[in-house]
């Protein structure tokens, strides 16, 4: 059976690295300062750095390994782990650690290559490092096989071995990044080496990519797992050299492995001279740990298939745009001489400059001067297909205007590309603007795959309630966007750098300063999450019997208002209750409804206005700026306070920027400041907009008395006044998140992901709440399953069926959530019978979304086969969390 190719990433995003997008003016300045050699640019000066060495996204297990380095000088446990990983995954018995691949080369040369002998190789890159040491590196690459262009020419090899003093054969898996080697050829070279009694050394830094080519293209190999082929490749060589910063996705490090104890003995006697001790070889304990974990993971079949699919797609994309390229194992290698025939000198450098100047993409020219390729290498797992598609477009943009690319005049030279300095002019090239996620993937978390049978069992065991599923059984988790965000490395850095205390922390001061600036509110009080702020606010503001008008309820908000003796009154516009109506401001308060309440009961009976941005229960529907202004203008003179639930205020600000022409050019940060001006304070669940996994706040614009009361309750219910029961580190992560959430590019891609998912569903006729909201898509279960009575819980059943069909977890928001009328004991049967597909921030890509949509569309096409549920166990309160169900008979 051929190996399946995943249709989405077999992982989700765990942490991100933000991308800076330098402007054209900045790029010009950076390029001039870099002497027109893009090697001299730093990552903060580029948006996408197209190099695959040491730039991969690690797994969360690898990054955790960084903290498990035991850093012993001798015999570190991390070295034991490394040896175990080599034995398990690669099959070799002995391991000599090195600081990187050049360390391996150095040891091999000093032990196996006597003076005045040469190294026959299929890799030109090896010559770059050995020729300066006066070691000849005759090429044995054929280039004749249409696929395995890295194969050794066996005839030429025999002739060489006859005529020249060749001490070892050095084959590189995927030679020079462009030329894979077949298993058959590798085996034949081994036979030739054995016949002469010399070693076959394999550089297996890209053994995974090479194994994939063997699986795909060598006859009889298609059924074998990559892990199996990798072992065979390794065992075919006498010695394996491996760069930790390539396939094992470490940042550096290397290993030299073998089954031959005598060779190993030679290496470890030499290693002390050049690298370090034989149990660390120039690596820190943590690097050995990361490398060991990388070796354990690098043959993961789904991950390999995904990475190679992405690489192939990128290459095909460029070919389809007519850009002359050579296929690479990790990207596409641009043929600079063909793209710029009018530039005879340093064409690859000129192309690199043009690419950076027009788009901010950096691709640099490696090794010795003279190569004709500009490698565009994809950092493993770090970029999405959306971003790569745009990088391809940026390259095509240069290619289309290649005639205008400026030549470079050599200012100072050298033998190596990194030494060159040029003079040039800024050619008049049309720039390319990126419009994609403004972050790279820093670490990933693998997601489980499951069979339909497994999922059927899991949902039965969970009583058809998605809240009761285990995360380990869920492939794509769209249960909530609450606390599920991927933090950035800057948030992590702030988190780790926090000095803990139970008194006032620096993190608290930064937190207060940041949110004063963000909202324009004077009093900023940290709380552990949203409901804690709601509790305190309700206790301060509500006197028993008072009304709390609001724009649709939220479960926890309403519960706290009622606990304080308040009566919630829904004054949202009528359109919010109609899932088919596409009014753009379905979160608005209906002023005439509000007026009626105030006129009927008097302003003194109103505790405050509970005003939620991007109303969750209405489908993430925004409030217009005009509505906020009008409500405030009406309430303020009457001394009725207006409190925002600003949990998704930034997403609301984006809709104002997008839908209100007066704000099209206004930055999100300024829109948010104006929104908050029309309120007296806010509660926030920080687990949403703030891009953290825990946290929240309560804020008052200027009322110091409320602050005193709130802090009193804080001490009793939550924690210290300067931490609200959070770790100071959590305050630091929130403060940093608050600066990231205001990035216009980020918030656009965040909210538009919901639009992307919605448009695929709409095109297929799937009924959803219109217009699509900020943080979620709501399926209209009434229209999806019109044949199921609401008392047989269509939305609950639909959520369960989505899980079984797709492995995606979603949430019921309908009859089950609303509960029963305590008077009559009957279900409320709310007008909205919905299923929420909620999008965590920075976690899933559009490739995940495509698969989610396809699964739901499949389900929609067989909707008549779906039936209802009845309660098997019904808890008295908030029954949606713990309730269990059984299917009704068909
Ligand atoms: C959610 F099923 N939301 O959307 P806390 N205000 C708003 C929220 O969306 C919110 C809170 C206050 C959740 C989590 C959740 O019945 C449920 O930080 C607009 O969760 O305390 C939370 O903030 C409360 C899901 C909460 C539920 C209650 O998924």
């Amino acid at each position: 059976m051929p190996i399946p190719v995943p249709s989405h990433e077999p992982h989700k995003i765990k942490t991100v690295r933000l991308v800076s997008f330098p402007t054209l003016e900045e790029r010009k300045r950076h390029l001039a300062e870099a002497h027109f050699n893009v090697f001299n640019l730093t990552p903060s000066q580029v948006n996408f750095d197209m190099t695959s060495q040491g730039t991969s996204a690690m797994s969360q297990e690898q990054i955790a390994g960084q903290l498990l380095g035991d850093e012993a000088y001798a015999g570190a446990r991390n070295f034991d782990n490394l040896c175990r990983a080599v034995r398990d995954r690669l099959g070799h018995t002995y391991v000599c650690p090195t600081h990187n691949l050049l360390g391996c080369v150095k040891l091999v040369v000093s032990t196996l290559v006597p003076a005045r002998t040469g190294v026959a190789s299929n890799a030109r890159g090896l010559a770059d490092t050995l020729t300066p040491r006066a070691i000849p590196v005759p090429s044995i690459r054929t280039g004749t096989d249409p696929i395995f262009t890295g194969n050794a020419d066996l005839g030429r090899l025999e002739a060489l071995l006859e005529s020249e003093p060749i001490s070892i054969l050095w084959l590189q898996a995927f030679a020079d990044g462009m030329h894979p080697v077949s298993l058959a050829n590798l085996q034949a070279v081994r036979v030739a080496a054995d016949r002469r009694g010399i070693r076959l050394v394999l550089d297996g830094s890209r053994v995974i990519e090479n194994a994939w080519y063997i699986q795909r293209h060598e006859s009889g190999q298609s059924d074998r797992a990559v892990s199996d082929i990798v072992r065979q490749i390794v065992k075919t060589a006498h010695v394996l050299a491996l760069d930790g910063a390539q396939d094992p996705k470490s940042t550096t490090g290397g290993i030299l492995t073998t089954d031959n104890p005598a060779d190993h003995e030679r290496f470890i006697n030499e290693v002390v001279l050049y690298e370090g001790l034989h149990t660390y070889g120039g690596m820190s304990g943590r690097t050995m740990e990361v490398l060991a974990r990388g070796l354990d993971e690098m043959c993961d079949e789904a991950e390999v298939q995904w990475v190679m699919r992405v690489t192939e797609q990128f290459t095909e994309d460029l070919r389809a745009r007519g850009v002359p390229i050579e296929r690479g194992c990790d990207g596409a290698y641009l043929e600079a001489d063909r793209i710029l025939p009018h530039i005879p000198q340093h064409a690859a450098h000129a192309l690199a400059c043009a690419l950076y100047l027009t788009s901010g993409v950096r691709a640099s020219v490696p090794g010795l001067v003279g190569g004709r390729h500009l490698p565009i290498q994809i950092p493993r797992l770090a970029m999405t297909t959306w971003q790569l598609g745009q990088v391809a477009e940026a390259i095509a943009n240069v290619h289309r205007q290649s005639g205008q690319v400026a030549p470079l005049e050599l200012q100072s030279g050298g033998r190596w590309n990194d030494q060159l300095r040029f003079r040039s002019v800024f050619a008049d090239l049309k720039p390319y603007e990126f419009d994609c996620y403004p972050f790279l993937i820093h670490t990933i978390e693998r997601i489980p795959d499951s069979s339909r049978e497994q999922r059927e069992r899991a949902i039965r065991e969970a009583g058809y309630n998605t809240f009761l599923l285990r995360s380990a059984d869920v492939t794509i988790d769209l249960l909530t966007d609450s606390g599920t965000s991927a933090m950035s490395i800057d948030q992590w850095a702030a988190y780790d750098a926090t000095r803990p205390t139970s008194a006032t922390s620096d993190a608290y001061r930064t937190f207060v300063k940041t949110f004063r600036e963000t909202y324009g509110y004077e009093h900023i009080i940290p709380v552990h999450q949203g409901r804690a702020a709601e509790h305190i606010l309700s206790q301060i503001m509500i006197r028993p019997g008072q009304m709390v008008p609001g724009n649709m309820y939220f479960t926890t908000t309403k519960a706290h208002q009622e606990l304080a003796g308040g009566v919630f009154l829904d004054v949202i516009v009528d359109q919010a209750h109609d899932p088919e109506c596409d009014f753009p401001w379905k979160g608005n308060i209906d002023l005439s409804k509000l007026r009626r309440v105030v006129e009927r009961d008097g302003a003194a009976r109103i505790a405050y206005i509970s005003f939620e941005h991007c109303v969750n229960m209405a489908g993430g529907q925004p409030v217009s700026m005009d509505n906020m202004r009008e409500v405030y203008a009406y309430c303020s003179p009457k001394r009725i306070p207006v409190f925002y639930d600003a949990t998704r205020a930034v997403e609301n600000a984006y809709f104002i920027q997008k839908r209100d022409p007066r704000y099209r050019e206004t930055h999100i940060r300024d829109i948010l400041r104006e929104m908050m001006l029309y309120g007296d304070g806010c509660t926030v669940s920080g687990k949403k907009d703030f891009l953290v996994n825990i946290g929240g706040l309560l804020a008052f614009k200027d009322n110091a008395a409320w602050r005193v009361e709130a802090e009193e309750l804080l001490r009793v219910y939550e924690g210290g006044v300067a931490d609200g029961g959070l770790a100071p580190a959590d305050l630091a992560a929130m403060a940093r998140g608050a600066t990231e959430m205001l990035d216009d590019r980020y918030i656009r891609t965040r909210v538009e992901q919901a639009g992307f998912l919605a448009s695929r569903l709409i095109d297929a006729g799937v009924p959803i709440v219109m217009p699509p909201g900020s943080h979620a898509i709501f399926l209209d279960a009434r229209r999806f399953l019109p044949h199921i009575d609401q008392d047989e819980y269509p939305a609950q059943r639909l959520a369960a069926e989505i899980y079984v069909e797709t492995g995606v977890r979603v949430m019921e928001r309908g009859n089950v959530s609303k509960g029963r009328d305590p008077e009559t004991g009957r279900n409320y049967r709310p007008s909205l019978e919905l299923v929420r597909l909620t999008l965590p921030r920075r976690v899933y890509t559009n490739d995940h979304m495509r698969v989610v949509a396809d699964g739901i569309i499949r389900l929609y096409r067989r909707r008549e086969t779906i039936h209802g549920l009845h309660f098997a166990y019904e808890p008295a309160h908030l029954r949606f969390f713990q309730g269990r169900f059984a299917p009704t008979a068909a």
Side-chain angles (χ1 to χ4, degrees):
M1 254 221 338
I3 309 283
V5 180
S7 45
H8 59 75
E9 290 88 340
H11 49 262
K12 59 182 177 184
I13 303 173
K14 189 74 189 186
T15 58
V16 299
R17 245 182 290 173
L18 302 185
V19 172
S20 49
F21 289 90
T23 62
L24 179 60
E25 291 66 35
E26 286 165 340
R27 299 198 295 264
K28 283 181 174 173
R29 200 173 67 235
H30 298 322
L31 195 57
E33 281 168 8
H35 304 283
F36 292 86
N37 185 341
V38 299
F39 174 83
N40 297 319
L41 299 169
T42 63
S44 63
Q45 296 173 331
V46 311
N47 45 30
F48 296 107
D49 200 2
M50 305 308 291
T51 168
S52 61
Q53 203 206 10
T55 53
S56 310
M58 285 187 198
S59 68
Q60 60 174 357
E61 287 76 19
Q62 278 184 296
I63 204 93
Q66 282 194 168
L67 300 179
L68 297 177
D70 81 2
E71 312 302 350
Y73 191 80
R77 273 163 291 189
N78 311 118
F79 180 64
D80 296 339
N81 293 344
L82 184 58
C83 293
R84 201 261 319 129
V86 168
R87 278 195 302 275
D88 288 358
R89 309 296 165 175
L90 305 177
H92 272 167
T93 319
Y94 302 103
V95 182
C96 176
T98 63
H99 81 285
N100 66 10
L101 184 70
L102 283 179
C104 298
V105 174
K106 208 159 47 182
L107 294 182
V108 167
V109 167
S110 58
T111 54
L112 300 177
V113 183
R116 286 174 295 282
T117 65
V119 176
S121 180
N122 66 344
R124 307 258 151 84
L126 187 69
D128 287 5
T129 44
L130 294 191
T131 9
R133 299 168 63 175
I135 300 168
V137 187
S139 170
I140 50 170
R141 188 156 84 212
T142 60
T144 50
D145 188 286
I147 301 285
F148 294 101
T149 52
N151 279 357
D153 179 334
L154 298 169
R156 198 190 309 163
L157 175 61
E158 284 302 333
L160 254 178
L161 291 172
E162 279 300 320
S163 60
E164 314 243 340
I166 299 295
S167 47
I168 59 165
L169 308 181
W170 179 289
L171 286 193
Q172 193 177 44
F174 240 114
D176 301 316
M178 288 177 276
H179 307 289
V181 182
S182 71
L183 199 51
N185 189 257
L186 199 61
Q187 286 162 331
V189 174
R190 166 74 189 234
V191 170
D194 282 343
R195 208 181 301 131
R196 297 276 167 173
I198 60 175
R199 303 281 180 270
L200 165 59
V201 181
L202 177 78
D203 172 356
S205 306
R206 283 143 164 179
V207 67
I208 298 296
E209 294 87 335
N210 203 127
W212 182 85
Y213 262 82
I214 290 171
Q215 185 194 56
R216 290 283 143 159
H217 298 289
E218 193 160 344
S219 79
Q221 304 293 330
S222 63
D223 292 352
R224 295 179 67 193
V226 161
S227 55
D228 191 27
I229 300 173
V230 165
R231 274 174 85 90
Q232 193 181 1
I233 294 174
V234 171
K235 293 293 259 187
T236 305
H238 292 104
V239 175
L240 170 81
L242 193 134
D243 189 350
Q246 293 282 0
D247 282 345
K249 300 188 288 152
S250 176
T251 47
T252 184
I255 45 171
L256 213 44
T257 70
T258 178
D259 281 331
N260 183 332
D263 282 351
H264 178 60
E265 194 67 28
R266 287 192 189 99
F267 299 150
I268 64 174
N269 280 331
E270 208 71 12
V271 83
V272 289
L273 190 58
Y274 290 114
E275 299 290 293
L277 201 67
H278 67 287
T279 54
Y280 77 85
M283 275 183 275
S284 60
R286 64 175 166 275
T287 298
M288 285 195 282
E289 193 62 40
V290 169
L291 179 47
R293 288 166 181 234
L295 289 171
D296 274 334
E297 297 168 356
M298 70 183 192
C299 296
D300 179 275
E301 193 69 40
E303 183 172 301
V304 174
Q305 297 301 334
W306 173 258
V307 168
M308 294 310 290
R309 186 197 128 165
V310 168
T311 308
E312 292 269 291
Q313 198 175 311
F314 180 68
T315 314
E316 283 313 308
D317 212 358
L318 283 168
R319 284 224 170 92
R321 291 160 201 266
V323 181
I325 60 161
E326 193 91 56
R327 160 226 40 220
C329 67
D330 51 4
Y333 291 48
L334 306 183
E335 296 184 300
D337 52 347
R338 287 182 57 204
I339 297 175
L340 303 175
H342 63 291
I343 301 183
Q345 296 291 317
H346 307 295
H349 283 277
L351 186 57
C353 286
L355 184 59
Y356 176 71
L357 186 66
T358 50
S359 69
V361 172
R362 188 243 300 266
S364 61
V365 198
L368 287 177
V369 171
R372 50 182 286 267
H373 290 104
L374 179 64
I376 309 286
Q377 299 169 321
I378 304 169
R380 289 174 192 76
L381 304 177
M383 292 176 68
T384 63
T385 56
W386 190 21
Q387 292 167 331
L388 285 168
Q390 297 201 355
V391 169
E393 185 48 44
I395 293 167
N397 175 54
V398 173
H399 181 235
R400 279 193 295 271
Q401 357 173 30
S402 56
Q404 274 92 268
V405 170
L408 304 175
E409 181 198 336
L410 195 65
Q411 191 184 1
S412 67
R415 285 162 17 87
W416 297 90
N417 278 307
D418 64 63
Q419 293 177 292
L420 306 186
R421 286 177 167 210
F422 301 102
R423 259 194 281 262
S424 189
V425 294
F426 298 124
D428 195 11
L429 298 168
K430 195 166 153 287
Y432 177 79
E433 285 299 331
F434 278 91
D435 177 18
C436 56
Y437 306 124
F439 52 80
L440 292 166
I441 303 169
H442 172 248
T443 55
I444 58 148
E445 176 184 339
R446 293 200 166 73
I447 53 183
D449 197 11
S450 55
S451 66
R452 191 181 185 90
E453 290 68 39
Q454 286 168 326
R455 294 194 295 270
E456 279 170 351
R457 186 164 359 103
I459 198 73
R460 256 196 323 272
E461 285 171 8
Y464 293 85
N465 185 347
T466 53
F467 277 104
L468 300 179
L469 286 169
R470 296 157 59 237
S471 164
D473 293 325
V474 173
T475 303
I476 298 176
D477 203 342
L478 305 186
L479 187 70
T480 179
D481 63 333
S482 182
T484 51
S485 300
M487 294 220 298
S488 71
I489 54 170
D490 307 274
Q491 285 177 288
W492 271 106
Y495 184 92
D496 279 348
T498 302
R499 292 180 170 88
T501 171
S502 60
T504 302
S505 61
D506 302 293
Y508 169 71
R509 290 209 192 289
T510 309
F511 175 82
V512 169
K513 186 166 176 280
T514 304
F515 285 104
R516 273 188 186 149
E517 174 60 30
T518 305
Y519 295 138
Y521 290 175
E522 172 66 17
H523 307 292
I524 306 291
I525 298 161
V527 290
H528 84 273
Q529 62 181 63
R531 63 198 74 182
E534 292 166 353
H535 172 219
I536 294 174
L537 181 73
S538 303
Q539 292 297 322
I540 298 174
M541 301 302 301
I542 302 172
R543 286 193 310 280
Q546 275 190 312
M547 308 284 169
V548 190
N551 53 344
M552 207 174 262
Y553 80 102
F554 187 72
T555 51
T556 55
T557 323
K558 180 162 165 274
H560 282 296
Q561 290 162 357
E562 289 170 354
L563 266 175
V567 180
F568 176 81
L569 277 179
D570 190 358
V571 291
I572 200 165
V573 290
D574 285 339
Q575 289 95 326
H577 293 281
D578 175 2
E580 292 178 64
C581 161
D582 63 2
F583 181 56
W585 309 108
K586 283 167 93 173
N588 279 1
I589 283 180
D590 184 332
L591 255 175
S592 57
K593 286 186 192 172
L594 179 61
R595 252 192 223 107
R596 273 201 299 278
V597 174
V598 175
E599 282 160 14
R600 189 188 64 200
D601 298 324
R605 280 209 58 207
I606 311 289
Y608 62 91
I609 308 295
S610 181
F611 207 173
E612 185 187 334
H613 294 129
C614 274
V615 183
N616 195 356
M617 297 301 258
Q621 300 296 336
V623 183
S624 72
M625 189 70 94
D626 289 333
N627 191 247
M628 286 180 245
R629 193 183 299 130
E630 284 158 18
V631 168
Y632 192 65
Y634 174 74
C635 291
S636 202
K638 298 187 164 49
R639 298 285 171 264
I640 301 171
V642 175
F643 279 100
Y644 288 121
D645 179 338
T647 296
R648 295 182 181 86
V650 179
E651 294 174 359
N652 200 120
Y654 171 71
F655 278 121
I656 291 174
Q657 190 187 56
K658 184 180 174 182
R659 294 183 182 165
D660 186 335
R662 296 165 300 172
Y663 291 90
R664 198 148 290 160
E665 304 298 323
T666 313
H667 286 299
I668 291 294
R669 66 180 65 248
D670 299 316
I671 296 176
L672 181 65
R673 274 294 287 250
E674 182 174 341
M675 286 163 56
M676 301 310 282
L677 185 68
Y678 308 135
D680 297 292
C682 65
T683 58
V684 183
S685 167
K687 299 168 76 171
K688 284 82 170 176
D689 272 352
F690 298 170
L691 297 159
V692 291
N693 309 117
I694 195 73
L697 62 77
L698 170 62
F700 301 113
K701 188 192 264 171
D702 48 21
N703 192 318
W706 291 340
R707 179 212 176 116
V708 172
E709 283 186 65
E711 289 189 340
E712 201 52 43
L713 291 170
L714 200 66
R715 291 186 193 95
V716 176
Y717 287 102
E718 293 296 321
V721 284
D723 60 41
L726 288 165
D730 289 316
L731 299 181
M734 261 196 283
R736 173 65 212 179
T739 63
E740 294 177 11
M741 73 182 182
L742 296 173
D743 178 66
D744 292 68
R745 215 184 267 265
Y746 153 70
I747 194 66
R748 183 170 72 247
T749 54
R750 151 75 187 153
V751 178
E752 293 302 334
Q753 189 171 46
F756 175 81
L757 175 57
S759 65
R760 296 182 80 87
L761 293 172
I762 293 166
D763 288 350
V766 178
I768 67 166
V769 174
M770 290 301 288
S774 56
H775 64 300
I777 295 304
F778 289 71
L779 302 179
D780 186 349
R782 276 175 188 280
R783 282 184 292 148
F784 201 114
L785 300 172
H787 53 285
I788 303 182
D789 185 83
Q790 207 173 358
D791 280 344
E792 291 187 357
Y793 311 115
Q796 185 74 26
R797 185 62 192 260
L798 183 54
E801 285 298 316
I802 288 172
Y803 170 70
V804 173
E805 179 72 31
T806 62
V808 175
R809 169 156 66 176
V810 297
M811 189 191 284
E812 190 267 6
R813 290 277 96 158
N815 207 7
V816 175
S817 292
K818 188 85 193 238
R820 289 184 192 273
D821 184 334
E823 304 278 289
T824 65
R826 286 205 205 95
N827 285 319
Y828 277 116
R829 298 175 67 97
S831 57
L832 297 179
E833 178 73 17
L834 308 177
V835 168
R836 187 179 78 167
L837 283 66
T838 335
L839 307 184
R841 293 166 185 77
R842 307 195 290 208
V843 171
Y844 295 112
T845 70
N846 285 354
D847 290 298
H848 292 115
M849 291 306 123
R850 210 169 279 130
V851 174
V852 170
D854 291 348
I856 289 170
I857 293 166
R858 270 198 314 276
L859 203 57
Y860 185 61
R861 296 204 175 117
R862 64 168 183 81
R863 57 192 178 278
E864 293 82 12
T865 64
I866 301 171
H867 302 286
L869 292 172
H870 58 267
F871 267 103
Y873 162 63
E874 184 176 352
H877 304 290
L878 299 178
R879 60 184 184 168
F880 56 92
F881 282 130
Q882 309 283 353
R884 305 179 73 85
F885 301 80
T888 54

